[in-house]
Amino acid sequence: MLAIVRAVGGGVQVKSVDEELGLEVGVRGKLEPLRAKMTKLADRGWLHKRPDGKFTVRL
C-alpha cells in the first residue's frame, strides 16, 4: 500500500489503491477493510490522511 501511494506522488483514493492491488472495486463493502488499514497507517504516522479523504505520503 505504501509503495502504491508513493508511486502516485499526490493524494490517492482508497479505490485507486484497491485497483492496483487487484481487489474488487465494484463492491463498496470490499473497500472498507482497506480504508481501515490505510487509516491505521495514517494514525501511526506512515501516511497522511487529508480532509478530502485522500491519502498521501507523510513528509
Side-chain angles (χ1 to χ4, degrees):
M1 288 184 284
L2 294 172
I4 294 168
V5 175
R6 282 189 185 112
V8 172
V12 64
Q13 294 179 332
V14 174
K15 185 176 181 179
S16 300
V17 175
D18 203 33
E19 289 173 346
E20 286 293 318
L21 292 175
L23 303 174
E24 293 183 51
V25 295
V27 181
R28 180 170 169 79
K30 298 286 184 175
L31 293 175
E32 295 308 317
L34 183 61
R35 184 182 324 277
K37 289 177 185 178
M38 292 181 73
T39 301
K40 282 183 184 178
L41 289 172
D43 291 343
R44 294 177 182 164
W46 289 84
L47 293 176
H48 173 71
K49 185 174 181 182
R50 298 190 329 196
D52 62 357
K54 295 182 179 180
F55 291 87
T56 60
V57 177
R58 175 73 72 182
L59 298 177

